[in-house]
Amino acid sequence: MEFVAKQIINYMPTAVSLFSGCGGSDAGVLAAGFDVLMANDVLPYARDVYVANHPDTEYVLGDVSNIRTFPQADLLVGCYPCQGFSQGGVRNPDRKINTLYKEFARALKQVKPKAFIVENVSGMVRANFRHLLEDQIALFSEAGYNVEVQVLNAAHYGVAQERRRIFLVGIRKKFRRNYEFPTAQYGIGDTPFVSIQDVIGDMDDWPEGEFYDREFHWYYMSRDRRRDWDQPSKTIVANPRHMPLHPMSPAMIKREHNVWEFEDDSPARRFSYREAARIQGFHEGFVFPDTPAGNLNMRYTVVGNAVPPPLFEAVARNLPAHIW
């Protein structure tokens, strides 16, 4: 009896990850105490980065629709692509990319995990996408899960940026539990937001070869792209041309509708991809391997597409422990 009790106490729940990117969601899941058995994505450099940082996880490169069987696991997580819902994307509800949730549902029915976590951009709640959100909830409910939905801001969970994302979390109906989302911890009461200074204040001002240094075109100058050192950053994006400004850049002043200018002629630059990774919540030693797929633009892409690890960790930690 003592041996059995010890085995239960030491049990590490397992997870399977789909649409994993370079591992933001999975870094959060690992920190929450899960063993990630398998990850998947279509981007070769996302795989390269993931494997360099999490070598113990099997990474399946390729279209998820080509994966016929998945490992059995306690938790299934997925961050299917968001270009169809994103403020910065095409925003066409008819795009095929908007229905990749059906592949997640297929995996859900096969794996039958005790719980699942899905993350996507908050634009999914807009009226023209609402039917897709409702279809996801219906599919996951029919698969046997009590599903809860909420939009969370990463800044409230220790991430140094404002980043609103929607989460769908399901627990198998047999447990008769509904998921409760974690309460905000930062920017509440006396607890300040984590600032840009907190996460990149120790880094070089001009990291050669690590930031996008082309001109600031008219669209970039159509809005304020800068935050001060003592504030959280604006949202880190996947397109390097639209990456927010480093706070050493001069302030931006609005001249007219959709027209902003720099306050003075001081040097200005965008965040580097390594700074963007820190702002996303990746740890200081996060590795970006030098591989053929890893050009500068792709490094920005995998960082901007990632889920902030502390946000995903907070959601995973709030799953009821007794179901494992």
Side-chain angles (χ1 to χ4, degrees), residues 69-232:
T69 60
F70 303 90
Q72 294 301 297
D74 299 306
L75 177 67
L76 182 66
V77 303
C79 310
Y80 21 87
C82 61
Q83 291 93 330
F85 308 111
S86 173
Q87 183 69 24
V90 176
R91 288 183 281 172
N92 178 357
D94 298 323
R95 293 183 70 198
K96 182 179 178 181
I97 201 169
N98 293 340
T99 58
L100 284 173
Y101 64 84
K102 294 180 181 179
E103 290 296 334
F104 185 85
R106 177 176 67 88
L108 190 65
K109 292 174 183 177
Q110 184 185 123
V111 177
K112 295 182 174 62
K114 296 173 181 177
F116 72 84
I117 304 172
V118 162
E119 179 267 1
N120 214 303
V121 294
S122 59
M124 196 188 293
V125 302
R126 287 195 293 265
N128 55 332
F129 292 117
R130 187 75 195 185
H131 67 289
L132 295 173
L133 176 58
E134 291 171 353
D135 192 39
Q136 290 172 70
I137 296 170
L139 274 176
F140 302 155
S141 297
E142 290 166 5
Y145 295 84
N146 291 325
V147 184
E148 298 296 328
V149 181
Q150 190 165 316
V151 175
L152 304 178
N153 185 346
H156 288 143
Y157 301 92
V159 181
Q161 67 172 302
E162 292 183 357
R163 189 183 188 93
R164 289 169 56 82
R165 292 295 186 267
I166 192 169
F167 281 83
L168 291 79
V169 184
I171 298 174
R172 285 200 73 85
K173 291 178 180 179
K174 71 176 184 179
F175 293 112
R176 299 185 180 183
R177 284 287 300 270
N178 286 68
Y179 179 77
E180 296 181 7
F181 283 92
T183 57
Q185 300 296 316
Y186 295 80
I188 304 297
D190 295 331
T191 305
F193 288 117
V194 177
S195 71
I196 298 171
Q197 175 70 45
D198 293 331
V199 295
I200 68 165
D202 63 328
M203 301 180 76
D204 294 341
D205 286 346
W206 296 98
E208 185 176 350
E210 294 187 359
F211 62 91
Y212 187 85
D213 60 357
R214 297 188 184 181
E215 73 275 6
F216 302 107
H217 50 77
W218 67 267
Y219 182 77
Y220 192 89
M221 303 301 290
S222 68
R223 63 195 68 183
D224 189 3
R225 306 279 182 171
R226 181 185 177 279
R227 286 286 174 83
D228 288 326
W229 281 105
D230 61 353
Q231 297 177 302

Side-chain angles (χ1 to χ4, degrees), residues 17-18 20 23-31 36 38-39 50 54 57 77 312:
S17 170
L18 305 179
S20 314
S25 59
D26 296 10
V29 167
L30 289 163
V36 182
M38 190 201 87
Y50 190 111
H54 308 296
T57 298
V77 303
F312 214 95

